[in-house]
Short mmCIF file of all heavy atoms in Angstrom, two decimals:
data_model
loop_
_atom_site.label_atom_id
_atom_site.label_comp_id
_atom_site.label_asym_id
_atom_site.label_seq_id
_atom_site.Cartn_x
_atom_site.Cartn_y
_atom_site.Cartn_z
N SER I 160 68.45 117.96 99.11
CA SER I 160 67.95 118.32 100.45
C SER I 160 66.43 118.45 100.50
O SER I 160 65.80 118.07 101.49
CB SER I 160 68.58 119.64 100.91
OG SER I 160 69.97 119.51 101.09
N ARG I 172 62.09 113.52 106.17
CA ARG I 172 60.89 113.07 105.45
C ARG I 172 60.94 111.54 105.36
O ARG I 172 61.44 110.96 104.40
CB ARG I 172 60.82 113.71 104.07
CG ARG I 172 60.76 115.25 104.12
CD ARG I 172 60.59 115.86 102.74
NE ARG I 172 59.27 115.56 102.19
CZ ARG I 172 59.08 114.92 101.04
NH1 ARG I 172 60.11 114.49 100.33
NH2 ARG I 172 57.86 114.69 100.61
N GLY I 204 69.83 120.36 110.44
CA GLY I 204 70.42 120.93 111.65
C GLY I 204 70.07 122.38 111.89
O GLY I 204 70.31 122.91 112.99
N ALA I 215 71.00 131.70 107.45
CA ALA I 215 72.24 131.02 107.84
C ALA I 215 73.43 131.47 107.01
O ALA I 215 73.38 131.51 105.78
CB ALA I 215 72.06 129.51 107.72
N LEU I 251 83.51 113.50 102.76
CA LEU I 251 84.59 113.89 101.87
C LEU I 251 84.73 115.40 101.80
O LEU I 251 83.78 116.14 102.03
CB LEU I 251 84.33 113.34 100.46
CG LEU I 251 84.16 111.82 100.35
CD1 LEU I 251 83.80 111.44 98.93
CD2 LEU I 251 85.43 111.11 100.78
N ILE I 278 75.84 99.71 102.42
CA ILE I 278 75.54 100.82 101.51
C ILE I 278 76.31 102.07 101.96
O ILE I 278 76.08 102.59 103.06
CB ILE I 278 74.04 101.13 101.49
CG1 ILE I 278 73.29 99.97 100.86
CG2 ILE I 278 73.77 102.41 100.70
CD1 ILE I 278 71.81 100.22 100.70
N THR I 286 80.82 120.26 108.00
CA THR I 286 81.20 120.76 109.32
C THR I 286 82.55 121.46 109.30
O THR I 286 82.77 122.43 110.03
CB THR I 286 81.22 119.60 110.34
OG1 THR I 286 79.90 119.06 110.43
CG2 THR I 286 81.67 120.07 111.70
N ALA I 302 78.88 113.14 90.99
CA ALA I 302 79.45 112.79 89.69
C ALA I 302 80.89 112.29 89.84
O ALA I 302 81.30 111.35 89.16
CB ALA I 302 79.40 114.00 88.76
N VAL I 430 101.29 127.42 70.25
CA VAL I 430 101.66 126.35 71.18
C VAL I 430 100.47 125.47 71.48
O VAL I 430 100.57 124.24 71.49
CB VAL I 430 102.24 126.95 72.49
CG1 VAL I 430 102.44 125.87 73.54
CG2 VAL I 430 103.54 127.67 72.20
N ALA I 435 97.60 120.20 70.61
CA ALA I 435 96.47 119.44 70.09
C ALA I 435 96.87 118.48 68.99
O ALA I 435 96.25 117.43 68.81
CB ALA I 435 95.38 120.39 69.59
N LEU I 518 82.70 120.83 79.04
CA LEU I 518 82.29 122.18 79.43
C LEU I 518 83.55 122.94 79.83
O LEU I 518 84.26 122.55 80.76
CB LEU I 518 81.31 122.14 80.61
CG LEU I 518 79.90 121.63 80.30
CD1 LEU I 518 79.08 121.57 81.57
CD2 LEU I 518 79.22 122.51 79.26
N LEU I 529 103.94 137.54 83.33
CA LEU I 529 105.30 137.13 83.72
C LEU I 529 106.32 138.17 83.28
O LEU I 529 106.09 138.91 82.37
CB LEU I 529 105.63 135.78 83.07
CG LEU I 529 104.72 134.63 83.53
CD1 LEU I 529 105.04 133.36 82.76
CD2 LEU I 529 104.88 134.39 85.03
#
Side-chain angles (χ1 to χ4, degrees):
S160 295
R172 300 183 69 239
L251 302 175
I278 293 184
T286 298
V430 171
L518 289 177
L529 297 176

